[in-house]
Amino acid sequence: MNNTNSSQSERTIDFGFSKVPLEEKVKHVKGVFDSVAENYDLMNDVMSFGIHRLWKKHTIELSGIRPGQTVLDLAGGTGDLTKAFAKRVGKTGKVVLADINENMVRVGRDRLTNEGIIGNVEYAITNAESLTFPDNTFDLVTMAFGLRNVTNKDKALAEIYRVLKPGGQMMVLEFSKVTQPMMAKAYDFYSFNILPKMGKWIAKDEASYQYLAESIRMHPDQETLKQMMLDAGFDKAEYLNMSEGIVALHRGWKY
């Protein structure tokens, strides 16, 4: 009887504060982003008061990306990072905007095409746990606000390591654990009392933004994620807290 219960437990996984069958998490996450794709950029601006643009700008500045290099923008969504990197790698470089969600890729492709970002950008629908790229392909892999939605984060980190070239870098920008106690209390109140209401008013979707708040709390903290990166094979890993740890930028290198 205990073995049966254990087996059932092993086949469930966190979806926010709820538990869902392991094989169904991708479907549930897809439903969230299908729902919010059209309003994704607007909601990012509103719920972060525009600060997400500063977090992403700092990530881009630290990347050290140069003309002619190749970048994988994993869970690239509507293309904020892709747009910036496409300008930096120039005509001789390449950026791949990849996401598991077809609607997000479509919104990103339409947005970038309308802004004239063409020629050195490709688009791919792929699962971070089983990337459809050869070994040693990219100089840089970025993942902004996507890792917490991945079912098996260890597999995703190992796959990112696999597709990086020797000397390549991974940059994961993700919500993390707030380090300042008073700010943590205020952040919790905002996340669970205000953020879902913003989702209801602006995106007409309260449940998806309730999931957002919950998924942030279930994501590994800074030190745990750093160790996961090292366990996945990265030769060096470090992180930088932003906004008192509301967001952390984790960096890993393949030597």
Side-chain angles (χ1 to χ4, degrees):
M1 186 70 176
N2 288 339
N3 288 339
T4 301
N5 289 340
S6 175
S7 174
Q8 290 174 344
S9 175
E10 288 171 1
R11 295 193 60 79
T12 63
I13 195 167
D14 298 324
F15 179 72
F17 291 163
S18 303
K19 292 284 187 180
V20 297
L22 184 66
E23 63 274 11
E24 291 185 11
K25 181 169 180 178
V26 168
K27 180 182 72 175
H28 284 279
V29 171
K30 185 177 186 298
V32 168
F33 286 92
D34 280 343
S35 176
V36 304
E38 296 295 339
N39 293 292
Y40 187 76
D41 291 326
L42 174 60
M43 275 300 298
N44 279 349
D45 280 331
V46 171
M47 69 185 185
S48 74
F49 306 101
I51 299 173
H52 77 101
R53 297 181 182 275
L54 299 179
W55 297 330
K56 291 173 181 174
K57 181 179 179 180
H58 195 43
T59 299
I60 293 160
E61 293 296 332
L62 288 175
S63 72
I65 204 69
R66 302 186 302 275
Q69 292 190 311
T70 56
V71 179
L72 173 61
D73 184 14
L74 190 56
T78 55
D80 281 352
L81 293 181
T82 295
K83 177 180 176 180
F85 285 127
K87 293 178 179 178
R88 293 197 171 215
V89 302
K91 293 181 179 179
T92 59
K94 181 176 72 173
V95 183
V96 179
L97 190 163
D99 203 295
I100 196 172
N101 187 280
E102 297 174 26
N103 282 339
M104 294 295 284
V105 173
R106 174 183 55 79
V107 171
R109 183 182 61 240
D110 291 348
R111 175 190 174 194
L112 296 183
T113 300
N114 289 340
E115 295 184 21
I117 309 296
I118 55 175
N120 64 349
V121 176
E122 297 177 2
Y123 301 89
I125 298 168
T126 188
N127 189 326
E129 296 175 29
S130 53
L131 295 174
T132 53
F133 308 104
D135 297 356
N136 308 318
T137 299
F138 299 99
D139 297 291
L140 173 69
V141 177
T142 58
M143 198 172 191
F145 306 111
L147 184 61
R148 73 180 184 280
N149 298 307
V150 173
T151 302
N152 190 321
K153 296 173 180 61
D154 294 317
K155 279 187 179 180
L157 293 171
E159 277 290 273
I160 292 171
Y161 182 84
R162 179 184 66 80
V163 302
L164 276 174
K165 294 177 181 179
Q169 178 187 184
M170 175 187 75
M171 306 182 82
V172 172
L173 184 66
E174 187 55 90
F175 294 108
S176 200
K177 183 176 176 62
V178 179
T179 57
Q180 208 282 336
M182 290 301 293
M183 179 177 283
K185 290 182 179 179
Y187 183 52
D188 279 346
F189 179 83
Y190 168 77
S191 297
F192 292 104
N193 294 279
I194 298 176
L195 179 59
K197 299 304 180 187
M198 286 183 175
K200 180 179 180 180
W201 297 329
I202 297 171
K204 305 296 186 287
D205 186 346
E206 183 173 0
S208 290
Y209 287 92
Q210 179 71 29
Y211 162 74
L212 170 63
E214 294 177 2
S215 68
I216 291 169
R217 299 320 186 278
M218 300 303 293
H219 184 66
D221 64 19
Q222 289 91 325
E223 285 292 335
T224 302
L225 181 53
K226 177 184 174 181
Q227 187 59 51
M228 290 170 65
M229 291 164 61
L230 294 171
D231 292 344
F234 284 91
D235 301 287
K236 179 184 175 183
E238 63 185 36
Y239 62 86
L240 171 68
N241 283 328
M242 301 182 187
S243 302
E244 300 290 349
I246 289 177
V247 162
L249 172 63
H250 280 76
R251 305 170 72 186
W253 288 267
K254 177 179 180 178
Y255 293 148

